[in-house]
Structure formats: structure tokens, C-alpha cells
Amino acid sequence: PGSRDVDGFVGVCRAVDDFFEKDGIEEVPLTDEPEGATVGERLRRGEVVLRVENACTLDDCNFLYGKCTETFEKYRAFHGRPPTNGRGRFAVADSEAFDFDVVSNAEAVFLNVLDALDAKMPDIYDQLFAPGVDWVARQPTTGPRSNQMDRPRPDESLSQRCPTLRDLYMAGELEWSEGEPAMNLYEAPGLFGAHKDH
């Protein structure tokens, strides 16, 4: 009996580890008890955020941090004050803020994240991105097509042509909230307030 108790405890611990971490992707709970059955459902309900480890090398991280710092300082010099809330928010595609090297480096990091999610948490695609009857409701409310009254749904062949997050991105089929994707740089007392992108 004592051995079974230990085995059962170890099994429960492994199940908890599997629930909250998947090979370098950690689920950070935003509620006391996330109830979604899958990570895609938990994300959809706003119960968790994901922290992806090793999405880029230290050199890439330092490069992007340095470029964000330069842009942050340019903003401060131009406006005579730091950005609101001590946070510099810079759209990656802003050609006035970043050159091609920065954009391509940031895109490489983003693709690493998409590849990790596709490989380790494929239900994120099914729950949040796959075409379906609720597709329109899952789109950003501040995106470029958000003001279209009868937004057309993509045809069902999109999920066959683009079965992964990377495929959707490479085909230009992901729709972003305004100003996304972006890099944020914080300085004291900078903060990232609670918000919902869509």
C-alpha cells in the first residue's frame, strides 16, 4: 500500500507538470483554477498566458533589446519625456522605428514561437485559429478589417492549405490587432496593465 501511495503521488505530480508545462512552454495561470480541458480552451477563456523559453538566443535577445532601447531613447528625446507608464511600445513593422535587420530578427523569434506551439500544443490552432462557424467572433476588434459589417468567413479549404500557425502566418492569413505584433520595453515604474487584445 505504501508503494502505491508514492506511485500515485508521483503520477499526480507528473500530471500537474504536464498540465502547466510542455517542453519549454509554461502555462502561467491567471485564475485560481483554470477549467479549460486543453491549453487552447484555457487560452480562449483567458485563464492562462504562455511563457515560451528559448525562443531566441541570448545574442538575438540582446540585439532586439538594444534596438528597442535606441528607439525608446529617440522617443524620449523627441517628446521630452519617457513613454506613458514607462513603457515603450513599438510595432515591429514600423519602418521609422526599426530597420530590416530588426524586423527580420523579430520575425525569426516569432516563427520559433509558432513552431514550438505547432509542435507541442497543436490544439491552440484548432481552438483559436481554425476556420469555423465562430471564426469571426475570434478575430481582433481593432484589426484592419474590424469595421466590416458582414465579415466573410474564410472557406474551409484554408485549414487544409494552412494546417498550422506557421502556415497561416506565412500565407498572410493571421489578422492582427492594431499595432501588433509589437515589442515592449519597460523602465521603472513601467507596467503592463491588464487588457484584452480582442
Side-chain angles (χ1 to χ4, degrees):
S3 173
R4 271 189 303 184
D5 290 345
V6 170
D7 291 342
F9 178 74
V10 169
V12 168
C13 290
R14 285 190 182 131
V16 169
D17 278 350
D18 288 346
F19 186 77
F20 287 107
E21 184 165 354
K22 198 122 178 157
D23 299 325
I25 303 175
E26 179 186 3
E27 288 186 53
V28 181
L30 299 176
T31 60
D32 290 337
E33 296 183 32
E35 296 176 6
T38 66
V39 67
E41 289 175 12
R42 293 188 289 275
L43 283 168
R44 190 172 192 175
R45 293 178 184 193
E47 297 173 345
V48 299
V49 293
L50 300 179
R51 185 174 64 84
V52 180
E53 295 180 359
N54 301 318
C56 67
T57 67
L58 183 58
D59 287 343
D60 290 338
C61 185
N62 287 333
F63 172 76
L64 291 171
Y65 175 77
K67 293 299 183 178
C68 280
T69 302
E70 286 175 21
T71 303
F72 190 91
E73 293 305 324
K74 286 179 195 173
Y75 181 99
R76 183 195 315 262
F78 181 79
H79 293 284
R81 63 175 175 75
T84 307
N85 293 331
R87 178 188 74 181
R89 179 173 178 72
F90 312 107
V92 173
D94 183 351
S95 60
E96 292 183 22
F98 301 118
D99 62 20
F100 176 78
D101 288 343
V102 176
V103 174
S104 61
N105 199 293
E107 183 176 56
V109 171
F110 182 67
L111 288 171
N112 287 342
V113 170
L114 293 183
D115 290 342
L117 296 177
D118 284 333
K120 298 168 186 172
M121 298 178 167
D123 77 291
I124 290 174
Y125 174 92
D126 298 329
Q127 288 291 321
L128 302 172
F129 297 93
V133 292
D134 64 343
W135 181 86
V136 172
R138 291 184 271 131
Q139 299 311 300
T141 56
T142 61
R145 292 180 276 185
S146 60
N147 60 357
Q148 292 179 355
M149 293 302 288
D150 294 320
R151 247 169 136 168
R153 224 174 64 209
D155 65 61
E156 297 301 320
S157 70
L158 179 62
S159 58
Q160 294 164 356
R161 289 182 286 126
C162 300
T164 66
L165 295 171
R166 177 187 262 268
D167 291 334
L168 283 174
Y169 176 72
M170 297 305 285
E173 293 289 347
L174 290 181
E175 188 168 332
W176 302 96
S177 293
E178 187 177 357
E180 297 286 350
M183 292 188 281
N184 297 328
L185 182 68
Y186 301 89
E187 68 174 19
L191 57 91
F192 186 79
H195 71 287
K196 184 175 181 180
D197 284 329
H198 70 89

